[in-house]
């Protein structure tokens, strides 16, 4: 049987490690400064960690991208509830200026 808290912690750690290694890359997406890029990466990491810790939201099925504090959510949710919780968790995350929720609800799941 899979231990949910341990799996969540491992997933969050893997996300942080992945984003930490990419944070040293050159500034892309027309960001003004390296600091802004790092801030956006931090926001993305915080949101993904919240998704990983939540029992309803699938961190693997929902993509998170941040640009100048605006977070875009995309991918697929199993229900309207999952979509709404993902948006709520994102809005409650420190550093988020705005949320664009493009999550589609997968029919028949």
């Amino acid at each position: 049987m899979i231990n949910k808290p341990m799996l969540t912690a491992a997933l969050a750690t893997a996300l942080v490690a992945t984003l930490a290694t990419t944070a040293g890359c050159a500034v892309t997406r027309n960001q003004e400064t390296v600091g802004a890029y790092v801030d956006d990466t931090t926001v993305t990491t915080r949101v993904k960690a919240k998704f990983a810790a939540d029992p309803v939201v699938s961190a693997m099925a929902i993509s998170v991208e941040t640009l100048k504090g605006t977070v875009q959510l995309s991918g697929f949710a199993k229900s309207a509830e999952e979509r709404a919780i993902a948006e709520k968790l994102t809005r409650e995350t420190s550093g988020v200026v705005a949320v664009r929720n493009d999550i589609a609800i997968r029919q028949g799941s």
Side-chain angles (χ1 to χ4, degrees), residues 55-74:
V56 176
V57 177
S58 171
M60 302 304 276
I62 299 173
S63 294
V64 180
E65 292 186 37
T66 308
L67 182 61
K68 298 180 182 174
T70 298
V71 179
Q72 180 176 359
L73 305 175
S74 60

Side-chain angles (χ1 to χ4, degrees), residues 1-13:
M1 178 155 217
I2 296 174
N3 185 335
K4 177 90 174 163
M6 288 184 69
L7 178 62
T8 300
L11 189 60
T13 301

Side-chain angles (χ1 to χ4, degrees), residues 24-101:
C25 297
V27 175
T28 58
R29 303 182 305 176
N30 298 320
Q31 295 257 355
E32 292 180 12
T33 66
V34 173
Y37 178 78
V38 171
D39 289 347
D40 285 343
T41 302
T42 301
V43 169
T44 298
T45 302
R46 287 177 183 157
V47 172
K48 287 298 254 180
K50 282 187 175 188
F51 288 0
D54 189 88
V56 176
V57 177
S58 171
M60 302 304 276
I62 299 173
S63 294
V64 180
E65 292 186 37
T66 308
L67 182 61
K68 298 180 182 174
T70 298
V71 179
Q72 180 176 359
L73 305 175
S74 60
F76 296 94
K78 294 179 195 130
S79 66
E81 177 190 22
E82 181 181 8
R83 183 180 192 271
I85 290 171
E87 182 172 338
K88 179 181 181 288
L89 290 171
T90 303
R91 289 190 187 282
E92 294 172 348
T93 302
S94 175
V96 172
V97 175
V99 177
R100 180 174 171 189
N101 190 346

